[in-house]
Amino acid sequence: MERKNSSVEGIKMSKMQKSLFKKANELSILCGTEVAIIIFSIGGQPVLFGKPDVESVVYHFMEAKHPAALRNYMKMKKKEEEKKGERKIY
């Protein structure tokens, strides 16, 4: 039963991601904006969407010197380092 539920949830998530990416693409085209979406699955795998591409949008964000950019980047790096430390223990 649990396998069926996870399969159904996976299908729902896939449809929602597709819909979100479609809307983000429309927003980018209609407004002439750059868009990046990064979603982490329950398993920790990233799902990326970017217009024109994720890397350039994230780079642009980091270069904007927005106060949240550096703070969020540092939090992300700290979490990565913590995960690396946890892996070494086991």
Side-chain angles (χ1 to χ4, degrees):
M1 186 78 173
E2 186 175 319
R3 184 177 228 190
K4 185 178 178 182
N5 286 341
S6 65
S7 176
V8 171
E9 288 175 6
I11 292 169
K12 285 181 183 178
M13 184 66 171
S14 177
K15 288 180 179 180
M16 291 171 71
Q17 285 176 3
K18 187 175 179 179
S19 177
L20 176 63
F21 294 167
K22 182 179 177 183
K23 292 294 181 183
N25 187 51
E26 291 172 357
L27 176 68
S28 176
I29 292 168
L30 291 172
C31 300
T33 61
E34 296 181 9
V35 177
I37 299 173
I38 303 171
I39 300 171
F40 286 94
S41 70
I42 293 171
Q45 295 298 314
V47 180
L48 309 171
F49 172 84
K51 189 76 174 185
D53 59 82
V54 175
E55 292 82 8
S56 66
V57 176
V58 170
Y59 179 79
H60 192 188
F61 178 72
M62 296 298 291
E63 289 297 307
K65 301 196 186 316
H66 188 280
L70 183 57
R71 182 174 58 246
N72 291 337
Y73 177 76
M74 296 306 291
K75 284 181 185 178
M76 181 182 71
K77 292 303 273 183
K78 183 178 179 183
K79 285 182 183 180
E80 286 177 4
E81 293 300 321
E82 289 172 355
K83 284 184 180 180
K84 286 180 185 177
E86 289 174 3
R87 290 181 191 145
K88 290 178 183 177
I89 293 172
Y90 297 106

